[in-house]
Amino acid sequence: MTRSPAVPYNLPAMNNRPSRRRPREFREDQTPTSGIFFKARRSLYRGRSRFQRIDVFENDAFGRVLFLDGLVQTTDKDEFFYHEMLVHPALLRHPRPRRVLIIGGGDGGDLREVLRHPVEKATLVEIDGRVVEVCKDYFGWLRPALGGGRAELVIDDGNAFLEKTRDRFDVILIDSSDPVGPSTVLHQKAFYQRVKRCLSPGGIAAAQAGALLFHLDSHRRKNAFLRKLFRHARFYIGPVPTYPGGMWCYIYCSDRIPPLGRLRRTPAGLRYYNPAVHKAAFALPNLLAEKLR
Ligand code: SAM
């Protein structure tokens, strides 16, 4: 097969006008010796909050991109793979999800997906108010999601919030960053004990768990304590093109509702998730299944 060197696979053409300024390059080192890079057509925001460095820029292939501390968090082009798979498996297995808690997820992608369901209230607990402010300005979905009357924004550490709250939630979604800095605690057993305590009877939790290819030992450790904590603790997978290795892991936890079975009706407008994808996502490839055994 021949490939056009100019615009392979119909990607949008880079701005071809000759320019003396070289586009700025953003790189994420995904391993010590490999990674992903983006040429920024335009830098939209550069700043540092109390917690992390925040960059938003525009790239011709992926649209607007959010980096936190030099790591890709979300891009216009491929965010739906991640947000749909973190949210809908748990929301659609729950027979009547009324109260939903999201921990992390300050870019608002999960909140947008949660509000596709007839929930009464969705509470987003994000530690870094600056992430929310920046994403309101640069990612079109966050402001309407927060403004619709069913969403509540709390700026707090998700772990501390769970320790204090007397509320109970039908679904808890954990959209943490990787286990460094303030996010480290969100990957530990003590945190999941709090998650369990804050679920209403029949509640379901789902969390992002890291790369299929690069975080196998972490998956084994998490699986070991989650299986003791919850009657149903199951890993599932889905692609995220800009995340390390391209294939991402998630965890589904519940004491009453197993991950496979009757689903409520899928909301309209989804681009990746459907009931067949739901079922397939829980079929684990050998390298992960063997690690979890
Ligand atoms: N899916 C993304 C990834 O893994 O690349 C994560 C995106 S989301 C933007 C992660 C969010 O979790 C960040 O905005 C970060 O500020 C927030 N966060 C980190 N630690 C937290 C904590 N302890 N409590 C609440 N939010 C936290």
Side-chain angles (χ1 to χ4, degrees), residues 145-190:
L146 282 173
R150 289 186 293 156
E152 173 189 39
L153 173 65
V154 178
I155 302 300
D156 198 357
D157 175 344
N159 187 47
F161 175 89
L162 285 186
E163 223 163 24
K164 293 179 290 211
T165 189
R166 287 164 180 269
D167 290 341
R168 294 295 175 266
F169 301 91
D170 301 314
V171 174
I172 299 180
L173 303 166
I174 300 128
D175 186 2
S176 57
S177 329
D178 292 348
V180 279
S183 204
T184 308
V185 67
L186 306 184
H187 295 263
Q188 294 170 349
K189 181 177 171 189

Side-chain angles (χ1 to χ4, degrees), residues 161-257:
F161 175 89
L162 285 186
E163 223 163 24
K164 293 179 290 211
T165 189
R166 287 164 180 269
D167 290 341
R168 294 295 175 266
F169 301 91
D170 301 314
V171 174
I172 299 180
L173 303 166
I174 300 128
D175 186 2
S176 57
S177 329
D178 292 348
V180 279
S183 204
T184 308
V185 67
L186 306 184
H187 295 263
Q188 294 170 349
K189 181 177 171 189
F191 170 74
Y192 278 93
Q193 285 168 327
R194 289 180 191 118
V195 168
K196 182 174 161 108
R197 188 181 56 79
C198 293
L199 282 173
S200 49
I204 303 172
Q208 75 99 348
L212 171 66
L213 198 53
F214 298 124
H215 302 141
L216 284 169
D217 285 329
S218 148
H219 303 330
R220 184 179 47 71
R221 278 194 301 273
K222 252 187 205 156
N223 187 54
F225 70 70
L226 287 174
R227 287 179 72 143
K228 288 187 188 141
L229 267 180
F230 293 95
R231 183 153 172 244
H232 306 285
R234 292 274 302 273
F235 271 70
Y236 64 101
I237 58 170
V240 186
T242 53
Y243 283 2
M247 184 60 91
W248 213 244
C249 293
Y250 308 83
I251 313 166
Y252 174 107
C253 302
S254 175
D255 276 333
R256 290 212 192 144
I257 303 179

Side-chain angles (χ1 to χ4, degrees), residues 51-52 66 68 71-74 82-83 103-107 125-128 131 156-159 175-178 182-186 208 243 248:
F51 299 99
Q52 53 212 339
L66 170 70
L68 295 180
L71 305 179
V72 180
Q73 305 292 311
T74 209
Y82 175 83
H83 293 126
I103 291 182
D107 57 67
V125 180
E126 161 65 57
I127 201 168
D128 192 343
V131 171
D156 198 357
D157 175 344
N159 187 47
D175 186 2
S176 57
S177 329
D178 292 348
S183 204
T184 308
V185 67
L186 306 184
Q208 75 99 348
Y243 283 2
W248 213 244

